[in-house]
Amino acid sequence: MTAPANPLLFGSMWLIATVLVFLLPLLPALRELYSRSDADALEIDPLDDGRTDYAAHRMAEQLDLLEAMPRVAQWQRDDQGRLMVPRGQSRLMARTAVPVVIGFRSELRTLVSSDIVELQANSVVQRVLHAKSIHCLGPAQLARLTSAERHIVLSPGARFLRLAAECVFTWPLKRSLQFPLPELGIGMPLTTQQRRHEGDLRIPVGTIVRGGLVVTGNLLMEEMSVVIGHVKVHGNAILAKSACVQGAVFVNGDLQTKGNNYVEGPLCAGKRLHLGPDSQVGDKDCPSSVSAWTIALNASVRVYGSIAAVRSGQVVL
């Protein structure tokens, strides 16, 4: 085999060939760099704040004001000037700027109001309900998406799926709870590592646990016990009377609070969630959320933020 006539030229050709082989997989990236073909990023919807009332804000643009509709004559007004859906009648979709009363056994598909909406016993809103404030005066059926700018008041027997407001109350209304030990300081960030406890855990009466917990079994917090941190339970959890958690609570199974309980952060159960009387989740300065497969609320429950039930939610006696 004879040596190449010009070794320098031969080596340069092999170097160029090698570089081209290695750059070949990068050709699509190089083409994209100089001639972009990707679609532009989608603009952020200014109304989409992640809350339940997003659907109502979007739908409001598609609904004419009730006063401008020919069907306005089908509605009645009471002695206070409020629009009324008469007893036992049905309406489709409406948007109004005045107070609305949904009468006994009346039904609406969609209602968006910039004032107060009052639901009498056995009234039903099917899809979307949004108002400045919503008051239930009996066992009403709230829409799948129900939201209010201020508050939602639920009476015994009221049924719901998703609620969002500054505050959701259940009758009778009582004064907002305060965390019983303010000198304990602020809660813990969600990124803080938590202590792991194998099996069931019982926190004795009046005990203060500083730091988050991961419980592989069931959790029982006895009366006046406090956890300063986030709690995750693989089984079921029970909070006895006046037990408090200054953080988030996540339970794979059932979660029950016996009454006068305070949870500062989100409250989530994989199965059933029962909030006992006089319980509170979040506060005015720290909105929170409650979610579970099924949710039962007792009297004088107060949730600052949102409630989401996958299957059903109801106010029980």
Side-chain angles (χ1 to χ4, degrees), residues 237-282:
I238 296 177
L239 276 64
K241 288 187 176 180
S242 301
C244 301
V245 177
Q246 196 174 9
V249 179
F250 301 97
V251 180
N252 285 344
D254 299 337
L255 172 59
Q256 182 179 13
T257 68
K258 296 296 187 178
N260 198 42
N261 305 102
Y262 176 85
V263 177
E264 184 181 70
L267 195 62
C268 178
K271 296 181 180 178
R272 294 182 295 270
L273 172 61
H274 189 148
L275 285 180
D278 304 315
S279 295
Q280 179 175 322
V281 179

Side-chain angles (χ1 to χ4, degrees), residues 169-187:
F169 308 87
T170 62
W171 285 103
L173 306 184
K174 291 187 177 181
R175 187 175 58 184
S176 175
L177 297 175
Q178 299 294 328
F179 191 68
L181 299 172
E183 67 275 8
L184 295 175
I186 60 175

